[in-house]
Amino acid sequence: MTIVEFFDLAPIENIISSLTMQVDKAVFVGASKAMRKRGELLRKFLADKGRDIEFEYVIINKYDLSGIVAALSRIVENEAEPVFDLNGGEDLLLVAMGIVYERYRDKKHIEMHRYNIKTGTVTDCDDDGKVFPEAHYKLSVDDNIRLNGGAIRYAADGMGGTFDWKIDEEFRADVLKLWEICKRAPNEWNKRIGIMHEAECRRFTDASQLNISIDKGYLVSKASGADKLKQLNAFLDELDSIGAVKDLVRTENEISYRYKDIRLRNCLRKEGTVLELTTLIASSELMDRSGERLYNDAMNGVVIDWDGVLHSHGRDTSDVENEIDVFLMKGLVPILISCKNGMTDTDELYKLQTVANRFGGGYAKKVLITTYLRKSERSLESLKQRAKEMKIRLIENVHSMSFEEFKNKLKNL
């Protein structure tokens, strides 16, 4: 079967038919100089999915209607049963397709369809009652990023990257216990995580990074040291009470303890990680009416390499990378979420917008989830207005919600 694609800069427009049909050949029609380069990316993506498809390119002048009609007519004449995917492309291509269809409708069968990326449904555009593509196809987070030319950097790839949390029932319960501590006073949580990091960066007792020994003298010697030690002790008591740390011992010179596991250790490295993980857990548990997971894939702390070529982090490396706090997929639609457990500004909105445009284009949904923003009324209204203009959904004060209330907020992103 030959699929005819009208080239579009949004790659999902030009690949969904090849993913959902038994295609032998794909003919790309377009005027863009980027068509061949993008086509090679799509060909490789399909090959990785086990689909060996021949690619062919037809260059047109997007302003020459008669030339476009002639090009499409040659495809109809040369291909046995061409299937035209009406996603993407210039408006004049669709006009030309209508002319060609009328010209050949009594001479040769022409199949036409359009895939609704947002809903996953397929429209039979030639009205013959046949629709070839598989409806409601789903992409993973990794699929979506690779399809747009990027790659996920995992923690094993170098000095930092995306961590595989392996969320089971026990870890889920631990995260929600931490969230209950955090949500009581997000600002205090942030402060205490910072103090813990400052204290722990001095000493580990073993390579596992689970057994910790803190020099009290070093901490007290720093600015506001006595208050920091008091805050740290109070925080460790809370962590000990929920089992996040064990074997908590205080001597005259040291405080020692052991993290329950490496996941809890990593969860307490940064102020916002517990909010990210709570968002990840909540969105992963949502179900649709049929009993399927509402979001078919979900990841947090996703470090994206823009050009898809992963290098070790050396000084001479100029890779462009961004981290998305929570990345969801609903069918073919990517949902990028920024989680802020405290202050944020419009720079975060622009960052989210930039990454969403690159790895989802017009189909990407953008969400900013926050606790208490601690902004003046005027600056908060300015942030809300800018988010609205950029079509970024704002979910604020999540620390005041129950877990079920938070889940309900995530249902219709």
Side-chain angles (χ1 to χ4, degrees), residues 329-347:
M329 291 297 302
K330 188 176 189 298
L332 303 172
V333 177
I335 303 163
L336 288 75
I337 302 175
S338 175
C339 297
K340 291 299 171 187
N341 187 33
M343 290 290 289
T344 191
D345 53 30
T346 54
D347 286 347

Side-chain angles (χ1 to χ4, degrees), residues 361-388:
Y363 293 110
K365 304 297 180 182
K366 299 155 289 187
V367 185
L368 175 61
I369 292 177
T370 72
T371 53
Y372 177 49
L373 286 172
R374 293 188 297 127
K375 282 182 169 287
S376 68
E377 185 175 343
R378 183 176 179 180
S379 60
L380 180 57
E381 285 305 312
S382 176
L383 179 72
K384 289 181 177 180
Q385 182 60 34
R386 186 56 56 88
K388 183 178 180 180

Side-chain angles (χ1 to χ4, degrees), residues 242-253:
I242 64 170
V245 300
K246 300 177 181 295
D247 304 329
L248 176 60
V249 177
R250 298 179 177 93
T251 67
E252 183 178 351
N253 299 316

Side-chain angles (χ1 to χ4, degrees), residues 106-342:
D106 297 325
K107 303 176 184 178
K108 189 171 184 180
H109 178 67
I110 298 175
E111 193 71 33
M112 297 186 297
H113 66 258
R114 189 179 182 91
Y115 204 107
N116 188 316
I117 304 299
K118 292 182 179 180
T119 65
T121 56
V122 188
T123 301
D124 174 20
C125 297
D126 55 89
D127 201 29
D128 67 348
K130 293 193 301 181
V131 174
F132 286 105
E134 169 193 339
H136 303 290
Y137 192 84
K138 298 174 182 178
L139 290 176
S140 67
V141 172
D142 183 71
D143 284 338
N144 182 81
I145 291 171
R146 288 193 299 114
L147 183 57
N148 286 279
I152 298 176
R153 178 183 291 282
Y154 287 93
D157 291 332
M159 294 175 63
T162 308
F163 183 73
D164 183 2
W165 292 96
K166 295 181 171 61
I167 298 176
D168 51 25
E169 284 300 315
E170 184 177 11
F171 184 61
R172 175 192 183 277
D174 289 335
V175 169
L176 295 186
K177 289 175 186 176
L178 291 174
W179 175 237
E180 287 300 317
I181 296 174
C182 174
K183 65 188 292 189
R184 289 201 296 266
N187 187 43
E188 186 174 274
W189 170 274
N190 292 345
K191 181 179 178 181
R192 289 180 170 183
I193 289 287
I195 293 170
M196 176 177 278
H197 179 72
E198 180 183 358
E200 288 185 352
C201 70
R202 287 281 294 176
R203 298 177 67 183
F204 291 117
T205 59
D206 68 358
S208 75
Q209 300 186 6
L210 296 181
N211 294 295
I212 309 298
S213 178
I214 290 173
D215 183 347
K216 291 168 63 175
Y218 168 78
L219 188 61
V220 171
S221 71
K222 310 302 286 185
S224 305
D227 179 64
K228 288 179 179 178
L229 182 60
K230 180 180 178 180
Q231 293 276 355
L232 177 62
N233 276 317
F235 193 37
L236 286 172
D237 285 339
E238 286 189 298
L239 297 179
D240 180 56
S241 70
I242 64 170
V245 300
K246 300 177 181 295
D247 304 329
L248 176 60
V249 177
R250 298 179 177 93
T251 67
E252 183 178 351
N253 299 316
E254 289 187 338
I255 304 173
S256 62
Y257 51 92
R258 175 173 57 84
Y259 282 100
K260 180 179 179 180
D261 59 32
I262 193 61
R263 295 176 298 180
L264 268 297
R265 173 76 184 95
N266 286 336
C267 189
L268 292 164
R269 282 182 184 270
K270 295 192 300 182
E271 293 91 336
T273 302
V274 68
L275 175 56
E276 293 177 23
L277 284 169
T278 301
T279 303
L280 178 72
I281 291 168
S283 56
S284 297
E285 293 179 359
L286 291 169
M287 300 292 173
D288 63 20
R289 293 177 180 176
S290 67
E292 296 283 327
R293 285 179 57 186
L294 183 63
Y295 301 111
N296 52 282
D297 197 17
M299 296 178 67
N300 86 296
V302 184
V303 179
I304 304 173
D305 182 285
W306 277 48
D307 67 4
V309 181
L310 298 173
H311 302 281
S312 59
H313 283 289
R315 291 185 179 180
D316 58 344
T317 299
S318 57
D319 272 1
V320 177
E321 291 187 347
N322 286 101
E323 182 174 349
I324 293 299
D325 294 334
V326 179
F327 202 131
L328 309 177
M329 291 297 302
K330 188 176 189 298
L332 303 172
V333 177
I335 303 163
L336 288 75
I337 302 175
S338 175
C339 297
K340 291 299 171 187
N341 187 33

Side-chain angles (χ1 to χ4, degrees), residues 30-49:
S32 173
K33 294 179 180 178
M35 184 164 65
R36 289 182 182 274
K37 182 178 180 181
R38 183 62 62 87
E40 179 58 25
L41 173 69
L42 300 184
R43 188 200 61 76
K44 186 177 184 303
F45 181 88
L46 289 166
D48 291 342
K49 293 284 187 181

Side-chain angles (χ1 to χ4, degrees), residues 6-14 32 34-35 38 88-89 148 358 361:
F6 296 160
F7 178 72
D8 196 280
L9 290 176
I12 190 63
E13 298 272 19
N14 287 156
S32 173
M35 184 164 65
R38 183 62 62 87
N148 286 279
R358 176 66 171 78

